[in-house]
Amino acid sequence: MIDGLTALLYSEDVDMALELISSSDIVLQHSYAMAEHLDKLIELFNGTFDQSMRQKLALIISQIYFALSQYHTAVEYALESGASLKELEQEENLNNKQKLYLQTVLGYSIDLFIKEKNTSDTVDPLLNGMVDNMFLEVLEAGRHESAIGLGLECRDAKYLVRVFNSVSDDIENIRSLVHYVIEAIQLLDCDQDFRNEVLVLCIEKLFELIMIDPIPQDILMCGAIYTDVRDLEGIVALLEIVYDTHPAAGVQLCWNTIETAPFKWCISIVEKLDPAIHGLYVDVLSGTLNQEIKIISLHSIKKTDFNILKYIQKGARSKSLTKTGLFYTISLMSAGTTIDSYLRRNTALMTSAKEYEKTCAYAALGVIHINHVTHGRDIIKNFLENPGSSIKDPYRFAGALFAFGLIYNELKDVEQEQYLFDVMDKLTGPEDKMNVVRYGGCMALGLLGMGLANEAYTTILQPLLNSTDSLVGQMAAVSLGMCCFGLGIGRKTKVLFEQVKLLCETSQQEKVARGCAIAISLILQGTERLHMPLIEELAASKYAVVRYAAVLALGTAFVGTGNGEVLQKLLEIAVSDLSDDVRRQAPISIGLVLCREPHLIPDLVALLGYSHNAHVRAGVALALGYTLAGTGSKAALKILLPLTKDLENFVRQHALIGTALVLQATNKNQDFFDELIGILKNEIEHRLVKFGACVALGLLNAGGCNSVFSMVKETNLKRNIIGSSVMACVVSSQFYYWHQFLYLMPIAFVPNVYTPLLYSDETIRSDVSVKMQLHCSRPESEFAYRKEFVEDVKAVKLNIKKSSLSVEGRVANRKLHVAKIDDEPQEMEDVKEEEEEEKPEPLEYNVTAPCRITVEQSKYITTDVDEKYVPVDRTKKVGIVIVTEFNQ
């Protein structure tokens, strides 16, 4: 039969042949036979002007291409088939092949629809109609989530509006759909404008719900979106409304905002609020109260193990890299806890340090007291020198300035700013001493002025780019990038950016050029496609350091977006670039792009972990550590642990640090801890590896075993990017060139502490005295702290026979006789004790907050079990949580 029909195609009865073929499923049933005549069908299609015949031919050709798995071509001809395709869709008795054809064509038509929307102003009406029909079919079937997915895939917010309108009478349904949209848009690879358009639509719906039924979750979600899209008027209006309806939720919203948003944004909100009415909101958003409570909570449950420090100090030789590593161990272990007793008891350790080792020693105080603004100046005042005075000890002064910047980072304090300006303006003395002090001053300026683009800061830093000391030029460039962090190329930053870019391309000093590369990436943070042509221009440069800037910028510009195009480009660079530096940075930038979905990273970089290039392997180790910190990921450890035995010492160093980050605040790190101690004990181990072991020990015990490195914060908006943590990740990853960049890592430390604060009568109790019960549905031992370190000292036993008197023999015999009498009852008691010891551990338990909640443990925590207190945000498992009493 098929032969007869196809023969008609070559006769005068073509119309009859087309009518018979198109009215049946012959094409799909005999696709390969029909494919032999594809050229003839295309010839007929191109040669006829009869619209009906063209549509029938287009449908037949489309089905043939579908059978040949050329789906995009099948869709193109399907669009030409018009009425013929509609008739096929309306048929009732379709077989499986016809259904599959229609589903495939409709599916691929969405891809074509998205492509046409992105590349041209007009879209094929038939294509638009196909997508509309598919949407209506899904919506009428009540599959609202599928309809939302179709709207998001088509990058068209009008579909979401139609979904919300279809359920406008069902408040709970609207609430669940809005939350679904917010979660989906965070994981969708789309441009920033469309994401913001969708989020603004969600805000409107949430605001309507808040006016009807103001529940805390809607309030907190709405506030998180306002912060994400930077709608200042919106969040201020929300806080004013909530103050009257649900003030406790308003306080929690302020706390969530200060924990995740840039400090400049929080200050902008404060300036719009009335301190006389919203005093508590102002206190929280000003930042000082938040930092004080974080310090109190970390201090109250600290588990700092000083035995580790004693062990490292005992084995560290003078002027060795291990001694420098000791300062990193001390600072990272006590970061944010204010526990500096070890340094105070061992002042000789600091005073005996030489040159930049001394700078490292005094900067450690800033890490320990990071954001401790209440007494920050008092802690380091003895090491700071008066502006304009003769410099006594430049290395100590530089370390104190570095510590000064860490203590006051991102917290605006006019008095402290002025002191720093005076120091940098009035430096006197030999040039070499002034350059050392300028190094510390540059870091302090960058930390205090982060994201402000303040002219007072940039005026001091810009001339230092051309310093005769390359280290000062590098730090000035990095600090300029920090001052303009995330601002893109705008009115305030355009001239500065051009200067940094030019210097990156032309500087003969490698350190300065690399500092400019870092600055470029910091300025472009979060800009996504806005400056993509510029990044592509940098990536095509013949200079390795400029390509290095491009790779850094790809990571920061698209941080957390999961952009597939960028990931593909970074993977190509990781395996093909001629520069080892560029190739090492590529995996780290991959980690930045996927930081919202870190579980995808191990599979993506697994093969890079076996690369013949040692620099690529080192980059993979850091990428896994930064993005999967505190998770104990088995997939990451499967890649990292072999790298800790690598033949290259710097790869081992990076792998030790990456593994320590992954195992932070978990109880699965005892074996790795023992391995680190073994490295320090081995006298012939390379100094790079020993330094990595020191840093790794500090990271394993970060913040008194209660802090985790994190670039994202679990909020009502799911995984929110923390800007300051991204900066800390980018800069600290450059420790390969200058190890003191590691001191920026604690800026990204997030306390894994659940801290309840009681809200009552428009005040909160900030003494962290509320004791609240939480329930964990797993055994307690799974999340317990690691045992305190005890050095294994084997005492030498001498086999010396002890003499005894005859009286002692008679006493011993008498005791033996008594023991025989009581032998049987004693055995029964021992059995009872053994039975008690073997009692199985409970499978669940209650824990009293404030307490540590690890990343893994948070999955099993229930927060609403306390009989006295109720948390405002029941989904929040880590951080500061406002609670109220049941009777309120």
Side-chain angles (χ1 to χ4, degrees):
M1 179 181 176
I2 185 65
D3 294 335
L5 286 174
T6 53
L8 291 175
L9 294 173
Y10 299 90
S11 67
E12 295 180 357
D13 298 323
V14 174
D15 292 345
M16 183 188 301
L18 293 178
E19 188 67 35
L20 292 171
I21 293 172
S22 61
S23 63
S24 63
D25 61 346
I26 287 175
V27 177
L28 295 174
Q29 293 291 347
H30 304 278
S31 53
Y32 291 106
M34 291 297 299
E36 294 178 7
H37 307 282
L38 183 59
D39 291 341
K40 178 62 177 179
L41 290 167
I42 294 174
E43 181 186 339
L44 291 171
F45 175 78
N46 293 328
T48 183
F49 296 97
D50 187 317
Q51 187 67 18
S52 175
M53 183 180 290
R54 281 178 62 86
Q55 289 177 351
K56 291 174 183 178
L57 281 164
L59 181 60
I60 294 168
I61 295 170
S62 173
Q63 290 175 336
I64 293 171
Y65 275 117
F66 165 75
L68 297 174
S69 299
Q70 297 184 29
Y71 301 123
H72 286 289
T73 310
V75 171
E76 290 174 4
Y77 277 99
L79 292 175
E80 298 284 347
S81 61
S84 296
L85 182 64
K86 290 182 180 178
E87 289 174 8
L88 181 63
E89 289 175 348
Q90 293 169 2
E91 286 186 20
E92 296 181 358
N93 300 318
L94 295 174
N95 60 35
N96 291 335
K97 287 190 176 182
Q98 289 174 316
K99 289 178 181 178
L100 182 60
Y101 164 73
L102 288 173
Q103 290 171 1
T104 305
V105 167
L106 290 172
Y108 274 83
S109 66
I110 295 175
D111 294 338
L112 192 59
F113 180 80
I114 295 169
K115 184 178 179 180
E116 285 198 13
K117 282 196 69 175
N118 292 334
T119 56
S120 63
D121 296 331
T122 58
V123 179
D124 189 315
L126 183 57
L127 184 61
N128 205 351
M130 288 172 66
V131 174
D132 278 341
N133 291 338
M134 187 190 301
F135 174 80
L136 288 172
E137 183 181 340
V138 172
L139 187 62
E140 288 171 1
R143 294 159 54 197
H144 298 119
E145 292 182 354
S146 298
I148 287 171
L150 181 59
L152 293 176
E153 285 294 336
C154 292
R155 309 295 191 268
D156 197 338
K158 72 179 183 183
Y159 291 119
L160 306 184
V161 174
R162 291 164 71 178
V163 174
F164 289 143
N165 290 340
S166 68
V167 292
S168 57
D169 298 331
D170 189 345
I171 293 177
E172 288 304 318
N173 204 355
I174 290 179
R175 179 175 286 123
S176 65
L177 289 176
V178 168
H179 287 201
Y180 177 80
V181 171
I182 292 168
E183 183 176 353
I185 196 65
Q186 296 301 309
L187 302 176
L188 186 67
D189 179 9
C190 61
D191 62 73
Q192 201 166 16
D193 291 338
F194 177 67
R195 186 185 302 118
N196 288 347
E197 182 184 0
V198 171
L199 289 175
V200 168
L201 176 62
C202 292
I203 287 176
E204 294 172 0
K205 293 299 174 183
L206 283 172
F207 214 90
E208 292 174 8
L209 294 174
I210 290 169
M211 300 306 292
I212 299 170
D213 180 20
I215 66 172
Q217 290 308 116
D218 288 346
I219 294 169
L220 298 174
M221 180 74 80
C222 194
I225 298 174
Y226 276 132
T227 296
D228 193 61
V229 300
R230 297 293 186 266
D231 186 347
L232 183 60
E233 299 297 332
I235 195 168
V236 170
L238 177 65
L239 286 170
E240 289 173 347
I241 291 170
V242 170
Y243 182 80
D244 297 324
T245 57
H246 207 308
V251 178
Q252 183 67 70
L253 173 57
C254 291
W255 232 294
N256 291 356
T257 304
I258 193 67
E259 285 180 345
T260 56
F263 185 67
K264 183 180 179 181
W265 167 255
C266 298
I267 292 299
S268 301
I269 299 172
V270 168
E271 291 170 354
K272 294 281 186 179
L273 295 172
D274 185 350
I277 301 173
H278 311 107
L280 186 54
Y281 293 174
V282 170
D283 290 342
V284 174
L285 289 168
S286 298
T288 306
L289 184 60
N290 176 54
Q291 298 301 342
E292 285 180 3
I293 291 175
K294 277 171 63 177
I295 290 169
I296 292 170
S297 60
L298 277 174
H299 187 91
S300 64
I301 63 169
K302 65 185 182 300
K303 296 288 181 181
T304 308
D305 190 351
F306 291 114
N307 291 334
I308 299 172
L309 303 177
K310 293 175 184 176
Y311 182 79
I312 298 174
Q313 185 178 357
K314 187 167 65 174
R317 297 187 302 276
S318 177
K319 296 185 180 179
S320 71
L321 196 57
T322 309
K323 185 179 177 182
T324 306
L326 174 60
F327 293 122
Y328 290 105
T329 311
I330 295 169
S331 59
L332 293 172
M333 282 178 66
S334 302
T337 65
T338 70
I339 307 297
D340 59 3
S341 55
Y342 190 86
L343 287 175
R344 293 186 181 280
R345 289 198 301 265
N346 296 272
T347 52
L349 191 65
M350 301 173 71
T351 54
S352 64
K354 304 297 182 183
E355 298 183 350
Y356 280 106
E357 186 182 88
K358 181 177 283 189
T359 303
C360 192
Y362 286 92
L365 289 170
V367 177
I368 295 170
H369 294 277
I370 191 167
N371 293 141
H372 190 193
V373 292
T374 308
H375 303 292
R377 188 71 176 271
D378 297 334
I379 294 158
I380 57 172
K381 66 180 180 182
N382 294 330
F383 314 125
L384 294 171
E385 299 182 17
N386 294 323
S389 63
S390 178
I391 302 169
K392 298 174 185 176
D393 189 336
Y395 292 99
R396 186 184 71 177
F397 190 15
L401 287 173
F402 199 161
F404 182 90
L406 288 165
I407 290 170
Y408 291 100
N409 85 87
E410 272 202 293
L411 297 175
K412 190 173 178 60
D413 189 313
V414 176
E415 183 183 347
Q416 311 309 332
E417 278 183 340
Q418 191 56 50
Y419 168 76
L420 201 53
F421 295 158
D422 291 342
V423 166
M424 297 298 286
D425 284 339
K426 300 176 183 179
L427 277 177
T428 57
E431 187 68 17
D432 58 341
K433 286 188 175 182
M434 288 196 295
N435 281 335
V436 173
V437 176
R438 284 176 183 139
Y439 158 73
C442 284
M443 294 308 298
L445 285 168
L447 289 164
L448 261 71
M450 194 189 305
L452 299 177
N454 191 319
E455 189 176 349
Y457 288 87
T458 56
T459 303
I460 295 172
L461 290 169
Q462 277 181 282
L464 296 178
L465 289 171
N466 301 310
S467 171
T468 55
D469 189 315
S470 60
L471 183 60
V472 173
Q474 181 185 35
M475 293 307 162
V478 173
S479 296
L480 281 169
M482 291 162 67
C483 288
C484 302
F485 179 67
L487 299 179
I489 306 172
R491 181 177 56 84
K492 285 186 176 182
T493 60
K494 185 176 182 179
V495 175
L496 175 63
F497 183 87
E498 291 297 331
Q499 181 184 357
V500 170
K501 179 174 175 287
L502 179 64
L503 201 57
C504 182
E505 294 170 339
T506 60
S507 178
Q508 299 301 308
Q509 294 178 313
E510 185 182 353
K511 287 184 179 178
V512 176
R514 192 181 303 112
C516 291
I518 298 168
I520 288 170
S521 69
L522 294 177
I523 294 170
L524 298 182
Q525 189 269 339
T527 55
E528 296 189 17
R529 296 185 183 277
L530 185 61
H531 303 301
M532 194 61 184
L534 170 65
I535 297 174
E536 289 174 348
E537 178 192 333
L538 296 174
S541 173
K542 64 180 179 179
Y543 300 110
V545 71
V546 180
R547 298 199 303 276
Y548 187 77
V551 172
L552 276 166
L554 282 171
T556 56
F558 291 88
V559 61
T561 62
N563 187 290
E565 181 185 343
V566 173
L567 289 173
Q568 184 176 356
K569 190 171 186 63
L570 288 170
L571 285 169
E572 290 173 1
I573 291 171
V575 298
S576 63
D577 199 274
L578 299 176
S579 168
D580 288 336
D581 292 341
V582 176
R583 294 181 69 177
R584 183 181 57 255
Q585 186 58 44
I588 299 172
S589 292
I590 288 173
L592 286 168
V593 175
L594 283 175
C595 66
R596 272 200 177 108
E597 301 174 272
H599 61 280
L600 300 177
I601 296 174
D603 290 338
L604 193 62
V605 301
L607 292 178
L608 295 179
Y610 299 101
S611 172
H612 70 281
N613 188 299
H615 293 265
V616 174
R617 300 198 299 272
V620 167
L622 284 186
L624 292 169
Y626 280 129
T627 52
L628 289 158
T631 62
S633 168
K634 292 180 181 178
L637 292 174
K638 188 177 179 181
I639 301 170
L640 283 167
L641 293 177
L643 293 178
T644 61
K645 306 290 191 300
D646 199 274
L647 295 176
E648 294 288 345
N649 290 312
F650 78 92
V651 176
R652 291 184 64 194
Q653 181 194 70
H654 283 61
L656 291 174
I657 292 172
T659 307
L661 285 166
V662 172
L663 292 174
Q664 270 186 325
T666 68
N667 71 339
K668 303 172 184 176
N669 56 26
Q670 185 63 55
D671 292 341
F672 180 66
F673 177 84
D674 294 339
E675 182 183 340
L676 295 175
I677 296 297
I679 289 171
L680 294 173
K681 189 183 293 184
N682 188 349
E683 293 184 1
I684 63 170
E685 193 66 82
H686 195 276
R687 62 197 184 103
L688 281 178
V689 182
K690 285 197 171 187
F691 178 78
C694 290
V695 176
L697 282 169
L699 292 171
L700 273 185
N701 301 274
C705 297
N706 296 308
S707 292
V708 170
F709 183 96
S710 181
M711 288 184 284
V712 294
K713 181 79 174 178
E714 292 289 347
T715 66
N716 302 85
L717 201 56
K718 295 304 175 187
R719 299 174 69 81
N720 226 5
I721 300 293
I722 307 173
S724 58
S725 295
V726 174
M727 182 280 298
C729 174
V730 171
V731 181
S732 66
S733 67
Q734 312 303 310
F735 74 89
Y736 177 82
Y737 308 103
W738 182 240
H739 58 74
Q740 290 190 22
F741 282 135
L742 282 169
Y743 274 143
L744 297 185
M745 193 180 282
I747 292 174
F749 283 178
V750 175
N752 266 17
V753 183
Y754 188 94
T755 308
L757 295 180
L758 179 62
Y759 176 86
S760 179
D761 299 326
E762 299 186 6
T763 59
I764 57 172
R765 290 178 60 177
S766 58
D767 56 357
V768 197
S769 60
V770 173
K771 304 298 179 185
M772 177 179 166
Q773 293 295 307
L774 309 176
H775 181 73
C776 180
S777 58
R778 298 291 294 175
E780 186 174 2
S781 61
E782 288 190 17
F783 312 109
Y785 289 98
R786 191 185 61 253
K787 292 180 181 179
E788 192 171 295
F789 170 65
V790 179
E791 186 178 352
D792 185 17
V793 181
K794 295 182 179 179
V796 179
K797 294 183 179 180
L798 299 176
N799 191 16
I800 301 174
K801 191 174 181 179
K802 186 180 178 182
S803 60
S804 60
L805 299 174
S806 60
V807 176
E808 291 176 347
R810 288 197 298 271
V811 172
N813 289 334
R814 192 179 304 118
K815 289 181 178 178
L816 185 62
H817 180 67
V818 172
K820 286 181 179 179
I821 296 171
D822 299 332
D823 195 33
E824 191 173 344
Q826 183 67 34
E827 286 181 2
M828 292 177 67
E829 289 177 10
D830 289 342
V831 171
K832 287 181 180 178
E833 288 178 6
E834 288 177 5
E835 287 178 356
E836 289 177 3
E837 289 176 1
E838 292 176 0
K839 186 177 179 181
E841 182 185 9
L843 297 178
E844 52 188 13
Y845 70 105
N846 282 350
V847 59
T848 302
C851 60
R852 181 180 80 164
I853 304 293
T854 68
V855 176
E856 183 67 22
Q857 186 181 11
S858 64
K859 302 172 186 176
Y860 309 107
I861 288 290
T862 307
T863 61
D864 54 355
V865 297
D866 195 89
E867 297 179 354
K868 185 177 181 181
Y869 301 111
V870 182
V872 171
D873 187 355
R874 302 190 181 194
T875 62
K876 193 172 183 179
K877 307 294 178 66
V878 172
I880 295 168
V881 180
I882 302 300
V883 299
T884 57
E885 293 182 327
F886 261 114
N887 56 5
Q888 284 190 311

